[in-house]
Amino acid sequence: KISCPSPTQTCDIFDLGNPETQALFMDVCMNATKSGYVDGCFLDRAQQLGNVYHMDPATAARYAAGHSSTFPKLQALLAPGPLIANTGFGLIGAPSFPGFYMVEFFTACQDSISQLLQITKKGLGALVHGSRGDESEM
């Protein structure tokens, strides 16, 4: 366990910079989609920007490189099924970015509509979650 942005400040993560972990991660996702009942995989905090996990620089670089190489491979294996990511909106459209993006806390406002338009203009799919606020924000 390492320090991460969560209420307990600890979490388990897949270090995709480790080739064995990368293979296991991709295998778990692929096996989940074999039945036909699951059509893709959701990657929470997939494109986390910066070293938010407080790793030493060498580990952080390996971790980032592993993420960048894993997502295009996994998206190709899942095609046409989706690989959905959230976090890292600035990376949308980058070669390593998955084909779908999840918008959290979508509300009836110009910012949310603008974000959705940017996603679709890049030819990406979108999974949209509404706000956790009251109904007036929906």
Side-chain angles (χ1 to χ4, degrees), residues 39-40 74-83 99-100:
D39 64 357
L74 189 51
Q75 181 65 73
L77 291 171
L78 284 172
L83 183 62
F100 281 71

Side-chain angles (χ1 to χ4, degrees), residues 2 8 37 41 46 60 68 105:
I2 58 175
T8 63
Y37 291 103
C41 296
S68 294
F105 312 120

Side-chain angles (χ1 to χ4, degrees), residues 12-13 15 18 27 32-33 37-38 41 43 68 70 97:
D12 294 321
I13 61 168
D15 180 359
N18 177 321
D27 191 49
T33 62
Y37 291 103
V38 175
C41 296
L43 308 173
S68 294
T70 299
F97 200 85

Side-chain angles (χ1 to χ4, degrees), residues 16 22 47 63-73 95-97:
L16 299 178
Q22 188 181 94
Q47 296 285 349
Y63 177 83
H67 272 68
S68 294
S69 68
T70 299
F71 300 149
K73 290 183 218 173
S96 67
F97 200 85

Side-chain angles (χ1 to χ4, degrees), residues 8-137:
T8 63
Q9 295 301 305
T10 61
C11 63
D12 294 321
I13 61 168
F14 286 97
D15 180 359
L16 299 178
N18 177 321
E20 292 173 351
T21 304
Q22 188 181 94
L24 174 65
F25 182 83
M26 291 176 40
D27 191 49
V28 167
C29 182
M30 292 306 301
N31 283 334
T33 62
K34 285 183 179 177
S35 70
Y37 291 103
V38 175
D39 64 357
C41 296
F42 173 72
L43 308 173
D44 199 9
R45 297 182 111 26
Q47 296 285 349
Q48 192 68 55
L49 298 172
N51 187 3
V52 298
Y53 299 115
H54 311 291
M55 301 173 195
D56 65 79
T59 302
R62 188 188 75 234
Y63 177 83
H67 272 68
S68 294
S69 68
T70 299
F71 300 149
K73 290 183 218 173
L74 189 51
Q75 181 65 73
L77 291 171
L78 284 172
L83 183 62
I84 305 169
N86 79 335
T87 311
F89 184 73
L91 297 175
I92 288 177
S96 67
F97 200 85
F100 281 71
Y101 185 79
M102 185 188 86
V103 179
E104 291 189 89
F105 312 120
F106 189 89
T107 62
C109 70
Q110 185 59 41
D111 287 344
S112 289
I113 299 297
S114 177
Q115 188 177 26
L116 185 59
L117 288 172
Q118 288 178 53
I119 293 165
T120 58
K121 282 180 183 176
K122 292 182 186 268
L124 300 172
L127 170 67
V128 178
H129 287 194
S131 171
R132 290 184 188 166
D134 63 47
E135 290 184 15
S136 68
E137 295 179 346

